Amino acid sequence: MRYRRNETLRYTFDEPLPAAFKLIKVDKKPVNSSMGSGRVIDISPGGMKLASDVHIPTSKTVHLFVTTSIAGQDLSFTAEVIWSKPARGQYHYGLDFIGDHHEEVIQSLKKHNQIKDKKPPED
């Protein structure tokens, strides 16, 4: 699978959103890791960029279970780690969602923008 950097909708958050994740599969072998914390930098209907202090080896096929909340809507995804790179003392990961999450991501982002647009400007 390839990273869809040119996907038509990719929303970058002004302030990355808190997320939690755990490894659920490494090279087709089920695993049950403890939950790690991260932050969602951007999201699209097909995947997300996740930042974390946790180093996830990408020399093998790794699947994660990721949870986050956008505009009060809890979202959960199963995703494959497509790429990783060190960034500012953390690691950034490109995740490709497994399954169709198009509608729930779009609806959450619409709600996020409605809430964001109603906030008074900061001085």
Side-chain angles (χ1 to χ4, degrees), residues 62-74:
V62 177
H63 289 183
L64 303 177
F65 175 74
V66 183
T67 62
T68 191
S69 180
I70 299 175
Q73 294 183 351
D74 292 334

Side-chain angles (χ1 to χ4, degrees), residues 11-17 41 43 69-73 75 104-119:
Y11 187 90
T12 301
F13 296 100
D14 295 333
E15 181 67 32
L17 302 178
I41 297 170
I43 193 166
S69 180
I70 299 175
Q73 294 183 351
L75 300 172
E104 63 187 314
V105 170
I106 297 292
Q107 293 307 316
S108 296
L109 289 176
K110 283 181 180 178
K111 189 173 179 185
H112 174 78
N113 278 334
Q114 287 172 346
I115 292 169
K116 184 177 156 189
D117 290 345
K118 288 181 182 179
K119 285 187 179 177

Side-chain angles (χ1 to χ4, degrees), residues 8-80:
T8 52
L9 171 68
R10 176 166 298 281
Y11 187 90
T12 301
F13 296 100
D14 295 333
E15 181 67 32
L17 302 178
F21 66 92
K22 68 178 181 174
L23 278 71
I24 57 171
K25 193 185 290 186
V26 177
D27 276 349
K28 300 182 182 180
K29 293 180 185 170
V31 296
N32 189 15
S33 74
S34 58
M35 293 297 278
S37 64
R39 300 193 74 72
V40 179
I41 297 170
D42 68 36
I43 193 166
S44 73
M48 70 171 59
K49 185 191 295 184
L50 181 73
S52 179
D53 293 334
V54 178
H55 179 260
I56 301 169
T58 54
S59 57
K60 299 180 178 188
T61 302
V62 177
H63 289 183
L64 303 177
F65 175 74
V66 183
T67 62
T68 191
S69 180
I70 299 175
Q73 294 183 351
D74 292 334
L75 300 172
S76 299
F77 309 100
T78 302
E80 181 176 348

